[in-house]
Amino acid sequence: MDARLRRVNKEITDCKNDKASNVQIELIDNSPFHLKGTFQGPEDTPYEGGCFDVDIVIPEAYPFQPVKMKFITKVYHPNVSSASGAICLDILKDAWSPVLTLKSTLISLQSLLCSPEPNDPQDAEVAKHYMTSKQSFNDTARYWTHIYAGGPEVSGAVKGSKVTQDDAEQDEIAMAGLEKAHVDQFESLGFPRSKVIEVLRRLNYRGANVAKINEDRVVEELLK
Amino acid sequence: MSSDYEYSDDDGDYYDEDELMDQDDQVANHSADSAPSEEEMDIDAFDLPTKGKQKSYHIESTTLSKHDLERAMDENIEYIAGIFGIEPEVASILLRHFEWNKEKLTEKYVDNPTGINAEAGVSAKPNPPRSTTSGSSRSTRRTTPASSRSKKSLSVEGPFVCPICFDDTQTRTLALACSHKFCTECWTAYATNKIRSEGEFKTTCMAEECTLVATDSFIQSVLATDLPTFDRFKELLARHFVSCNRKLKFCPYPECAQTVSCPAAASKFALTTIIPIVNCGDEKHKFCFACPIEDDHRPLICSVSKLWTQKCRDDSETANWIKSNTKECSKCQSTIEKDGGCNHMTCKKCKYEFCWVCMGPWSEHGTAWYSCNRFDEKESVEARDAQSKSRASLERYLHYYNRWANHEQSAKLSMDLYAKTEKKMEEMQLTSALTWIEVQFMKKAVDEVFRCRMTLKWTYAMAYYLQKGNEKELFEDNQRDLEKAVEDLSELLEQPIDTETIGALRQKVTDKTVYVQKRNEIVLEDSAQGYLEGRWKWNTPVEGFD
C-alpha cells in the first residue's frame, strides 16, 4: 500500500481510538487526503467553549512536507487571518518534522490559541488590537467564539456593568471588530444598526478589507 | 591552471574588503599560463602598441571546472580537519554552518567546541528531549562524535514500527548518532524531498526538535539507488560554496558548468574603478562578474550602468513628455494637449476660454485675436521658463537615449547583414577562384563592428552621466572618432560584392577593421585609466564616489 495512504489511515484510526485528546478528524469528501479536524477551545481563554473546525490538506510528499491547515471556523486571533483562516505557525512551515502527526499538529493549534504570538502576526489588525488593549481584544475574541464557534453567550463585564445606551452600542461594534464610522456610514443610509453590524461582520469589513469591498456590495447585502 | 592557487585566503576578506586588492597580482600570474584567448591573438597579429602590456580594461579571471571547485572545497575541509583533528565530514558540516569562513570558524571553535558542534548539528544538543534511550555501547559517542556519528543499527528487539510510515514489516533501519531510528525507505524519501523539492543540502534528523545533521556519507548511503539526486546534492553543496565566496561566480549561461574566479571584482570598492567583464573560458560566455546586466557594458561601471538601465525603464520620461507637450487648464487643471488649430483654446471640461500662448483668459485679448500681444508679461514668461527647462532635460536624455538605442539596433542589424553576406560569399567561392579563408575577412569585420557598437552604446550612457568639462570633451572626442570609424566600416560592409572588386574591398575592410579595433582599444583603455586615476566625475550621486 502507498506509504502516505497507510500513514494517514493509521493517523485517522489512532485519533478515533484516542478519546482523551478531544481532537476529531473526519473526511470532508471521498478523499483521505482532504480532512476536517475539530478541537475544543482551550480553557481559561476567550476561546473556551468554542468548537473549532480546521481544513486539512495532505500534500503529495506527506509526511516529508508539512500538512496544509487553515481554520474553517472564524477565529479572532493575532496568528490567524480573520478573513481566510490562514495560520501562522512554525511547525506548518520550516519547523515541520515527519514525526509530527495530524493529531499533534491540531493540539499545537489548540495551544496556539492559548499563547498568541502578536510579534509574528498573520493578521496585523488583530495583533494591533491585542497589543493595545488586551481586555477589549479578549471581549472581541469571546464574542467571535460565541457567534462562530458556538461558544457561550458573552456575559459579565461588558453587559453586566451599568453602561449608557451609546456605550453599549459602541461595545457591540467593537466586539464585532468593526469601526463605528463604518457602521454609522451605512446606518445613515437608513438600515437598522443591528442589520448593518451583522452584514459588515459577515463581510469582514475591517482593516485592509475595507478598501477591497465595494460599498455597493455592502448595500446589496443589506438589501437582501 | 596551477594547483597552488589558494582559495582559502579570501575568507577573511568579508570583513576587510580593501585587503582584496593586494591579491590581484597573485592571481594574474596564474592566468598567464592558460592559453591566450582568440581576442589576444588577434591583437598580437595586428601589432598594436599595447602589445605585451597588460591592458587596464582587461580584468584577470580564471576558470574552474567542477573538479577544481570540489578540490577547492576539499582543501578547506582538510585544513580545518587538520587543525582540530576532526573527521573531514564533521569539518565539512562546520564549514557549511559558518558559510565557509575558516577564520570565524577557527576562532569560535577554539572558544567553545561543544557549543559550536551542537549549533552546527554535529552533535546532539545538550539535554536532548529523548535522550532516555541510553546504552553503554553509545557512551563513547560524546567524546568522539565524528567516528560514530552515523551508524547502521540493526533492529534486534521485536518488530520495528517506523514512526513515520507505521510499517512494521521494515527490517532495515538507520539512525544518526542521536539514535532516532527510522526505516531506510523513509530516510530515502525524506532526503530526496529535502534535496529535490526544497533544494536544501542540510538534512537534519527527522525526529522532532532534533537538529543533528546527516553526514555526506549518510546521505550517500540513503541515496545509493538514486545517483541523480545525490549528484544534485553535491551540486547544491558547490552552489553554496560559490555563493559564500565573493571571488567566485558560476557562469550564468545555461548548461554551462564552469565557475569563474575573479578576485579583483570581489570588493565593492574595486567596482568603482573596474568593469569586470569576464568569460568562463568560452569566448561567447561573456558576462559581468559584478552585476546582472547582460551586455558587455564597458566602458561604464556597474553602478552607473544600473542607473541608466533604470532610467530607461522608468516611466519618468513619460511624465517629462507630458510636462513638455501639455499644459494645464488654468481654471480646472485638466491636462490639455494642443494638437493643432489656433491659440484660442476652450477647455473641453470646464469650457474655460484661454490663450495657449500666454495662458491668460481669452476675453482679455479684446480684438487682438490670433496674435497675442500680452506675451511679455512677467507671469507668462515664468511659466514658459519652467516649461522649457523641462523640455531641455527631456531633449538631453533623448539625445543620449536615441544614440544608445540606435547602436544596439545597428549591432543587431549588422548580424543580419552578416548572415546574408555569408550566403553570398559561399556562392562566390563556387563561382570564383577565392578560397574559403579569403572570404573570412567579412566575419571578422562584422564581429568587430558588433563589439564596437556595444562599446559605443554604453559610451552614450556614460556621457549622459559625465560632468561637463575637459575630461568629458576628451571622452567625447574618442567616442566620436570611434563612431566615425565604425560607421565607415559599416558602410563598407553594406557595399555590393562582386568578383571584380572583391580584392580591393577586402583590403579596405581589413584595413578599416584594424583601425576600428584600435579606436575601440583607445576608448576602453582611456576610460579604464580614467577610473584608476579618478578622472571621471558624475553629474549625479553615484555610490562609492564623493
Side-chain angles (χ1 to χ4, degrees), chain A residues 6-7 10 63-64 97 99-100, chain B residues 164-166 189 193 206 208:
Chain A
R6 179 175 55 224
R7 160 134 177 178
K10 172 100 162 50
F64 305 106
S97 154
V99 292
L100 292 172
Chain B
I164 287 168
C165 61
F166 297 125
N193 184 64
M206 286 192 275
E208 199 186 350

Side-chain angles (χ1 to χ4, degrees), chain A:
Chain A
M1 190 168 37
D2 172 19
R4 177 171 75 132
L5 186 61
R6 179 175 55 224
R7 160 134 177 178
V8 172
N9 279 342
K10 172 100 162 50
E11 283 195 41
I12 295 171
T13 325
D14 279 0
C15 212
K16 271 205 182 105
N17 296 337
D18 182 6
K19 298 278 183 278
S21 66
N22 267 328
V23 169
Q24 285 92 43
I25 298 175
E26 297 160 37
L27 294 180
I28 285 186
D29 40 43
N30 290 327
S31 162
F33 304 123
H34 188 197
L35 307 165
K36 186 177 87 174
T38 308
F39 63 84
Q40 300 298 315
E43 280 174 26
D44 298 324
T45 66
Y47 310 101
E48 183 174 356
C51 184
F52 296 90
D53 291 340
V54 178
D55 182 83
I56 304 172
V57 175
I58 315 272
E60 200 65 39
Y62 184 81
F64 305 106
Q65 262 175 17
V67 284
K68 294 193 176 79
M69 288 195 179
K70 64 172 189 186
F71 276 102
I72 298 170
T73 312
K74 269 176 170 289
V75 186
Y76 199 74
H77 187 283
N79 306 108
V80 180
S81 162
S82 56
S84 66
I87 304 161
C88 178
L89 182 62
D90 58 350
I91 59 160
L92 291 176
K93 296 179 183 93
D94 43 351
W96 170 259
S97 154
V99 292
L100 292 172
T101 60
L102 299 178
K103 193 174 84 183
S104 65
T105 311
L106 286 170
I107 292 171
S108 297
L109 285 185
Q110 204 173 16
S111 53
L112 179 70
L113 293 189
C114 299
S115 46
E117 285 283 349
N119 293 321
D120 183 18
Q122 172 78 40
D123 193 311
E125 293 288 324
V126 180
K128 208 169 103 196
H129 192 186
Y130 181 87
M131 303 279 260
T132 46
S133 164
K134 190 82 182 290
Q135 182 57 46
S136 157
F137 165 84
N138 280 343
D139 288 341
T140 307
R142 200 168 290 124
Y143 183 70
W144 279 44
T145 308
H146 167 62
I147 300 278
Y148 301 113
E153 186 138 7
V154 181
S155 59
V158 180
K159 291 224 164 150
S161 59
K162 279 181 183 133
V163 285
T164 63
Q165 178 68 20
D166 193 41
D167 278 349
E169 272 175 1
Q170 194 133 18
D171 282 332
E172 202 184 347
I173 295 164
M175 269 189 298
L178 299 170
E179 294 272 336
K180 188 168 188 302
H182 294 148
V183 176
D184 286 347
Q185 180 196 342
F186 292 104
E187 198 183 10
S188 67
L189 297 175
F191 297 103
R193 172 167 284 241
S194 57
K195 174 89 176 163
V196 172
I197 294 177
E198 190 247 309
V199 166
L200 292 185
R201 203 192 60 217
R202 187 149 44 78
L203 291 173
N204 205 26
Y205 199 76
R206 303 181 313 105
N209 268 352
V210 172
K212 284 187 216 146
I213 301 172
N214 194 330
E215 281 173 22
D216 293 345
R217 166 91 206 286
V218 179
V219 173
E220 218 170 85
E221 288 290 321
L222 283 164
L223 287 169
K224 269 185 189 167

Side-chain angles (χ1 to χ4, degrees), chain B residues 345-358:
Chain B
M345 306 296 288
T346 306
C347 174
K348 266 234 164 89
K349 206 169 169 194
C350 69
K351 310 289 175 216
Y352 174 66
E353 291 177 57
F354 64 95
C355 166
W356 184 257
V357 180
C358 71

